């Protein structure tokens, strides 16, 4: 039996994709070996790789002037790669601080650039808000503006794309990419670790405008230099072939779901169902301002924290797993990525109602 797994990542993958992986695992399309066991430069894998890229380009309507890179090192690797490629040692870079992941990105920029300006800081609301779009303290001539489109731990998601007056906009989209349509042309660069909405861990997708490629500062490690990676089709060294292959299957699955419009409608419905159940319960609460509540990561607390352990073990017994909040904040968190079916959210809401009735 497959459980409804609410993990924030690595997260649920579509069961159809897992079944296809299983069916193709030992003998990929009659080749006599799995796709993991062949050269990344061979015909078979090259076809898999370029098919994945074209599907992603189609799903996100990525303009030609952008390169799509399939890298390693996680989103955390990009926290460093971005300042190394986009800023000089004496550049000013702007960061919007909306929570745990923005802070980590900012910390790398502080190590690697002359001046990392905090252009917005939501600590006063305990990171339950996003900044007012007109109140960003941006630096004229900054090398770029960085923000975290969705804070996976805090459950805060930007309902707007920041306006930067021509300065390249860089976004960490790890936990929101592919959850709804996106205007790629508004961004200089966007990046995401794969392990939430793309595929298995180990792959990092970077979508970057060509004008930002080729300016890495001296000393940038070759695997983090966008120019070298773009020139080599992300095969400067051995890429994470299995994760890349599975990502391609996930992209094809998304296309069959009606693309990002179709997926967005389902994601909105899933999130609304859960937030309504929380808000109407008088027992559960979510601290995030209604205008910027995440569709993907829904943190919530119980009226009596001493019931947390019972909540988690009873949920687990019903096949509702990985609901514990991040270790830094406690409470609960339900992640509702693309692969979580509506039936999973319905089962969670039914369990939550029944638990609150018994303990409320
Ligand atoms: N940014 C966000 C928004 C994340 O959710 C995560 C991982 N949960 C990271 C960055 C770090 O990603 P990785 O583990 O791939 O380095």
């Amino acid at each position: 039996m497959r459980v409804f797994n609410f993990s924030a990542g690595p997260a649920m993958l579509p069961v159809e994709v897992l079944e296809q992986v299983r069916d193709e695992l030992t003998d990929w399309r009659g080749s006599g070996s799995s796709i993991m066991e062949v050269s990344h430069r061979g015909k078979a894998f090259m076809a898999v790789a370029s098919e994945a890229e074209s599907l992603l380009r189609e799903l996100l309507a990525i303009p030609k002037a952008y390169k799509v890179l399939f890298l390693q090192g996680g989103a955390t690797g990009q926290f460093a790669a971005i300042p190394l490629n986009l800023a000089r040692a004496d550049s000013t870079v702007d960061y919007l601080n909306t929570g745990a992941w923005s802070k980590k990105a900012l910390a790398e920029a502080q190590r690697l650039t002359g001046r990392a300006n905090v252009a917005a800081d939501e600590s006063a609301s305990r990171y339950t808000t996003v900044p007012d779009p007109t109140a960003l303290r941006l630096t004229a001539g900054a090398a770029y503006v960085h923000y975290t489109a969705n804070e996976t731990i805090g459950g805060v998601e930007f309902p707007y794309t920041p306006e930067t007056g021509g300065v390249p906009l860089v976004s960490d989209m790890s936990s929101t990419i592919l959850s709804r349509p996106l205007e790629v042309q508004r961004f200089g660069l966007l990046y995401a670790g794969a392990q939430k909405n793309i595929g298995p861990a180990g792959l990092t997708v970077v979508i970057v405008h060509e004008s930002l490629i080729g300016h890495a500062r001296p000393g940038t490690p070759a695997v983090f230099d966008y120019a070298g990676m773009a020139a080599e089709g992300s095969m400067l060294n051995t890429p994470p072939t299995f994760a890349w292959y599975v990502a391609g299957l996930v992209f094809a699955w998304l296309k069959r779901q009606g693309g990002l419009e179709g997926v967005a409608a389902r994601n909105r419905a899933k999130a609304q169902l859960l937030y309504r159940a929380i808000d109407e319960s008088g027992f559960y609460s979510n601290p995030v301002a209604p205008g910027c509540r995440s569709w993907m990561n829904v943190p919530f607390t119980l009226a009596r924290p001493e019931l947390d352990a019972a909540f988690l073990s009873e949920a687990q017994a019903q096949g509702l797993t990985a609901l514990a909040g991040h270790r830094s904040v406690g409470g609960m968190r339900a992640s509702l990525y693309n692969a979580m079916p509506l039936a999973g959210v319905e089962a969670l809401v039914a369990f939550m109602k029944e638990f609150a009735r018994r303990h409320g």
Side-chain angles (χ1 to χ4, degrees), residues 110-134:
Q110 282 166 335
R111 288 191 322 110
L112 296 167
T113 56
R115 185 163 171 265
N117 169 51
V118 180
D121 186 330
E122 300 303 289
S123 55
S125 73
R126 303 177 129 257
Y127 301 111
T128 59
T129 50
V130 294
D132 184 301
T134 60

Side-chain angles (χ1 to χ4, degrees), residues 74-337:
T76 305
Q78 292 307 308
F79 293 168
I82 288 160
L84 290 172
N85 280 270
L86 270 50
R88 295 188 315 265
D90 61 351
S91 296
T92 296
V93 295
D94 284 342
Y95 276 71
L96 313 191
N97 178 13
T98 53
W101 291 111
S102 326
K103 274 194 263 185
K104 291 201 168 161
L106 172 64
E108 282 293 69
Q110 282 166 335
R111 288 191 322 110
L112 296 167
T113 56
R115 185 163 171 265
N117 169 51
V118 180
D121 186 330
E122 300 303 289
S123 55
S125 73
R126 303 177 129 257
Y127 301 111
T128 59
T129 50
V130 294
D132 184 301
T134 60
L136 306 179
R137 300 178 298 273
L138 300 177
T139 311
Y144 61 84
V145 178
H146 179 282
Y147 80 111
T148 308
N150 184 80
E151 286 282 356
T152 320
I153 297 174
V156 170
E157 178 156 21
F158 274 78
Y160 67 91
T161 303
E163 192 47 68
T164 60
V167 171
L169 180 61
V170 174
S171 183
D172 177 357
M173 297 230 157
S174 294
S175 47
T176 185
I177 194 165
L178 297 172
S179 66
R180 58 177 105 185
L182 184 67
E183 286 181 287
V184 173
Q185 61 279 8
R186 304 268 312 261
F187 297 85
L189 183 153
L190 44 96
Y191 65 102
Q195 63 273 21
K196 300 149 194 307
N197 261 342
I198 294 176
L203 170 71
T204 314
V205 173
V206 174
I207 301 171
V208 53
H209 193 273
E210 317 175 309
S211 61
L212 299 176
I213 298 178
H215 314 292
R217 72 177 80 160
T220 302
V223 291
F224 281 149
D225 184 338
Y226 299 143
M229 277 297 190
E232 299 285 338
S234 305
M235 295 192 193
L236 181 87
N237 66 327
T238 314
T241 53
F242 186 72
W244 193 334
Y245 150 74
V246 179
L249 302 185
V250 170
F251 301 153
W253 175 82
L254 280 171
K255 202 175 152 182
R256 297 197 296 276
Q257 306 305 302
L260 300 191
E261 302 280 356
V263 155
R266 273 191 295 284
N267 285 334
R268 179 190 288 110
K270 281 153 45 185
Q272 278 175 353
L273 179 63
L274 181 53
Y275 284 116
R276 192 173 320 119
I278 291 169
D279 291 343
E280 290 175 353
S281 69
F283 182 80
Y284 303 103
S285 59
N286 166 282
V288 179
C292 56
R293 285 173 157 185
S294 169
W295 287 5
M296 295 286 106
N297 310 99
V298 184
F300 61 93
T301 51
L302 276 54
R304 289 161 38 215
E306 64 273 20
L307 292 172
D308 283 3
F311 181 93
L312 288 168
S313 69
E314 290 180 30
Q316 174 91 30
Q318 298 199 16
L320 307 167
T321 69
L323 284 161
H326 190 268
R327 60 185 191 277
S328 63
V329 292
M332 305 299 154
R333 172 177 52 176
S335 293
L336 316 178
Y337 299 119

Side-chain angles (χ1 to χ4, degrees), residues 5-82:
N5 166 13
F6 293 91
S7 169
M12 261 182 113
L13 286 165
V15 69
E16 295 90 330
V17 167
L18 294 174
E19 285 166 352
Q20 187 175 349
V21 170
R22 179 197 61 203
D23 293 346
E24 297 182 338
L25 191 60
T26 55
D27 180 8
W28 182 80
R29 300 182 198 172
S31 67
S33 58
S34 79
I35 198 70
M36 288 184 272
E37 300 167 290
V38 297
S39 167
H40 54 294
R41 301 192 194 280
K43 228 168 149 190
F45 187 76
M46 291 295 268
V48 164
S50 76
E51 169 76 359
E53 178 176 340
S54 13
L55 283 165
L56 183 62
R57 285 187 173 276
E58 185 183 338
L59 284 167
L60 283 169
I62 301 174
K64 282 211 170 55
Y66 288 78
K67 295 284 186 205
V68 178
L69 306 178
F70 291 83
L71 306 179
Q72 301 183 62
T76 305
Q78 292 307 308
F79 293 168
I82 288 160

